[in-house]
Amino acid sequence: MLANKTKVSAAAAHLGRASAGAVSLSGNFRASVSPLAGVSLKTAYVGLCASPSQPRSQLNTPPFSPSQKRRYATKAPLSVLEDGADSTAPPANKYLKNSANYSDAGSRNLAYGLIGAFGVVQAVAVKNIAVDLVSSLAASADVLALAKIEVNQADIPEGKNVVLKWRGKPVFIRHRTAADIAEANSVDIASLRHKEADVERVKEPEWLVMMGVCTHLGCVPIGDAGDYNGWFCPCHGSHYDISGRIRKGPAPLNLEIPPYELVEGRIVIG
């Protein structure tokens, strides 16, 4: 240990003399430290010249500035390195992978596993955001309550019409007689503008449920009127028969049939 301290002192003294211009050398001086010395010094780079008054341009320095070089702390014994050795290179055992313990396949599998895990987390987050967004856009409970309306069939006498409001639009319900049904089935389908048989427009022959909106410009036709004993739109003169089919006038289509069900003596629309 005494010999090591002596070596450190001698090298430090040599470094001091070189920096003071006491020696006339050309070249580079580098120093390092050892854990045996019990000291902690950074590697140093010193450009030596013949005298302190020598111009900087004549200094024997490398093509880069000493301030640009990375310095690494070490605990090696102070010693003079050979000219041309790079004291700023990091120790390989501290900064490079240990080939004995490193596995390229294992490292790659770990990276793939992390990517997959983050992908699953992101997918779940996107799904939750999408569900919340769609739920916020859905109709509220009071709107859903108005999405369906019901009417008792017993409340509508035979041969009469009832007008209801569903989703802001009128709905016509007619309890048809046997004569109405026979008249609707006697029409030649080929002569119709919008070809639909009566059986295609009803679920039970006695009950006709359709939207009360003229297919021309959206007016509300009048029941039990027109040339075909059905519905008549006074706005532009469209005539509909007892099945709600367009027979005369500018309307292009038959009156629309809304979604409905006949359930235990009730008509449920919606």
Side-chain angles (χ1 to χ4, degrees):
M1 181 65 69
L2 180 62
N4 290 333
K5 290 184 177 180
T6 303
K7 185 184 294 185
V8 171
S9 300
H14 179 74
L15 177 61
R17 291 195 302 272
S19 60
V23 296
S24 177
L25 297 173
S26 69
N28 303 329
F29 179 81
R30 295 171 175 80
S32 61
V33 198
S34 168
L36 299 177
V39 295
S40 176
L41 297 177
K42 293 183 178 179
T43 57
Y45 173 85
V46 180
L48 303 180
C49 58
S51 66
S53 61
Q54 183 175 355
R56 274 184 81 84
S57 60
Q58 298 180 10
L59 292 178
N60 185 13
T61 59
F64 45 80
S65 170
S67 62
Q68 296 175 328
K69 301 192 69 176
R70 298 175 63 187
R71 304 294 191 245
Y72 296 90
T74 180
K75 288 186 177 180
L78 186 65
S79 60
V80 178
L81 303 180
E82 296 181 1
D83 188 25
D86 188 1
S87 63
T88 63
N93 59 346
K94 291 186 178 181
Y95 295 91
L96 300 179
K97 296 177 181 177
N98 188 347
S99 58
N101 300 327
Y102 174 74
S103 171
D104 185 66
S107 178
R108 184 167 54 249
N109 293 338
L110 176 62
Y112 290 162
L114 292 175
I115 293 173
F118 282 117
V120 171
V121 172
Q122 290 177 352
V124 173
V126 170
K127 186 266 294 181
N128 292 336
I129 293 174
V131 169
D132 293 342
L133 178 61
V134 173
S135 299
S136 66
L137 298 177
S140 58
D142 56 341
V143 174
L144 293 176
L146 298 176
K148 292 186 177 182
I149 58 174
E150 298 182 7
V151 59
N152 291 325
Q153 293 173 290
D155 295 338
I156 306 175
E158 189 178 25
K160 297 298 181 180
N161 298 328
V162 170
V163 180
L164 304 176
K165 186 178 181 180
W166 176 66
R167 295 184 179 178
K169 297 180 180 180
V171 176
F172 296 160
I173 300 178
R174 182 175 178 87
H175 189 177
R176 298 193 301 183
T177 63
D180 294 336
I181 298 171
E183 181 181 352
N185 290 323
S186 64
V187 176
D188 182 12
I189 305 300
S191 64
L192 298 176
R193 181 180 304 168
H194 183 187
K195 297 175 174 55
E196 275 187 321
D198 181 69
V199 68
E200 299 176 34
R201 296 178 56 80
V202 296
K203 295 186 176 181
E204 290 185 6
E206 295 82 5
W207 297 99
L208 176 64
V209 181
M210 58 188 180
M211 300 298 298
V213 179
C214 179
T215 58
H216 179 222
L217 291 177
C219 304
V220 179
I222 301 172
D224 292 323
D227 296 346
Y228 298 91
N229 298 321
W231 287 264
F232 171 68
C233 181
C235 298
H236 301 93
S238 296
H239 298 256
Y240 299 89
D241 64 12
I242 199 62
S243 187
R245 296 172 295 195
I246 182 63
R247 301 294 296 275
K248 183 179 178 182
L253 301 173
N254 301 333
L255 294 178
E256 181 185 356
I257 304 298
Y260 73 96
E261 296 291 338
L262 302 176
V263 182
E264 298 178 353
R266 293 176 293 115
I267 300 176
V268 180
I269 303 173

